[in-house]
Amino acid sequence: MEQPLTAPLPSSRLRVWERRTDPVLLGVGILFLAGWALPIVLPQLPENTDRWLEGIQQTAWALFAADYAIRVWLSDRRRHFVATHIPSLLVVLLPLLRPLAVLRSLLLLTALMRRVTLPLRMRVTVYVSGWACFLALVGAIAVLDAERRSADPTIVTLSDALWWSLTTMTTVGYGDLYPTTLEGRLIAATLMLSGIALLGVVTASIAAWFVERFQQTSAAESRNEADLRLVLAELRKVRARLDELAERRDDGPGTTTGSG
């Protein structure tokens, strides 16, 4: 008899490693993000500070690369692990994606939400909100870095970048600020698609809430109707029994007199 195909569980050594290193890697990711963002947000930093922040980025990337290699080594099915952890591999291989290494913090958010007794929709809302805030912040800093190299930029300050990122992710698009470089437009396209996807998740969550409410109301009404039918059936039985007893009582004296 064929066994159903299920996704293999991670090895115990891998689970222990991830449980112990996730908090450390979260801190490393935050330091990496700070080392990447500070020179962009504060371009007048001293040269020594820039080199120091660059060193933080390189060290953090090396730690993420080492963590990925160790997780592959600890995995029982290494090819399957590589095939199911493509984003982690891209973060290690592609320098442009290194800021996205801090996305591992969202995995910690998911693990934390499992320990909290909240409805599934609430966990989804918190997770999606975390994604949206992170993407808006990273997109704003990335487009600010790209647009500063433009000959005629419209996004020149962090506040401009944050406003542009918000209007782009929400697909409002006022048009007062827009990227003029190829890199900035690629970032804009990524934020647009991400905003549409996140909006779809939020809309689906709200729709699921309404559907669940309607189903609960319908189920409650069905239960009430079923209970009412049971009560009516019991009342009919009781009434029939009472009518039978009443007939016996009325027939009893007459039958006794006739026989005497």
Side-chain angles (χ1 to χ4, degrees):
M1 181 177 180
E2 265 187 46
Q3 297 295 330
L5 295 177
T6 57
L9 295 175
S11 66
S12 58
R13 295 185 304 167
L14 180 59
R15 290 197 301 269
V16 171
W17 172 263
E18 290 180 340
R19 185 171 62 251
R20 292 180 176 177
T21 59
D22 272 344
V24 177
L25 292 176
L26 172 59
V28 173
I30 293 173
L31 287 176
F32 180 88
L33 184 62
W36 169 73
L38 283 177
I40 301 173
V41 177
L42 303 172
Q44 287 80 25
L45 287 175
E47 185 177 351
N48 290 338
T49 304
D50 282 343
R51 286 199 297 267
W52 185 67
L53 293 174
E54 179 65 23
I56 290 179
Q57 294 182 59
Q58 297 296 334
T59 303
W61 173 82
L63 290 175
F64 278 114
D67 170 70
Y68 180 81
I70 291 172
R71 286 192 294 148
V72 171
W73 180 68
L74 292 177
S75 177
D76 291 336
R77 299 181 60 184
R78 295 173 184 173
R79 291 184 179 179
H80 181 270
F81 180 89
V82 172
T84 54
H85 292 76
I86 297 299
S88 298
L89 179 61
L90 293 178
V91 165
V92 173
L93 296 181
L94 302 179
L96 291 177
L97 295 181
R98 289 180 191 174
L100 299 184
V102 79
L103 283 173
R104 289 176 61 87
S105 62
L106 296 178
L107 300 179
L108 293 182
L109 179 62
T110 304
L112 178 62
M113 294 308 298
R114 291 196 199 104
R115 299 172 180 265
V116 180
T117 56
L118 289 176
L120 177 61
R121 285 184 305 276
M122 184 66 68
R123 293 199 297 270
V124 171
T125 302
V126 173
Y127 191 70
V128 170
S129 300
W131 264 96
C133 293
F134 177 82
L135 289 176
L137 178 61
V138 171
I141 297 173
V143 80
L144 179 62
D145 184 38
E147 291 303 299
R148 278 181 176 166
R149 297 189 290 270
S150 173
D152 186 22
T154 63
I155 303 172
V156 294
T157 64
L158 180 61
S159 61
D160 290 341
L162 289 172
W163 171 250
W164 169 85
S165 180
L166 179 62
T167 57
T168 301
M169 283 199 67
T170 55
T171 66
V172 175
Y174 285 113
D176 53 344
L177 301 172
Y178 53 89
T180 58
T181 63
L182 175 61
E183 183 180 349
R185 290 172 180 173
L186 291 176
I187 296 170
T190 302
L191 286 182
M192 290 175 196
L193 295 176
S194 301
I196 293 172
L198 294 175
L199 182 61
V201 171
V202 173
T203 303
S205 179
I206 295 174
W209 182 81
F210 278 108
V211 169
E212 183 177 345
R213 287 293 179 182
F214 291 146
Q215 289 177 344
Q216 289 176 351
T217 302
S218 177
E221 291 177 352
S222 299
R223 286 195 299 269
N224 291 337
E225 291 177 359
D227 292 340
L228 181 59
R229 285 194 294 269
L230 288 174
V231 171
L232 290 176
E234 292 295 330
L235 288 176
R236 291 191 188 97
K237 291 179 181 179
V238 171
R239 182 173 179 178
R241 182 61 176 168
L242 291 174
D243 290 343
E244 182 182 350
L245 292 174
E247 289 178 2
R248 289 181 180 179
R249 185 188 61 185
D250 293 339
D251 294 342
T255 304
T256 304
T257 306
S259 61

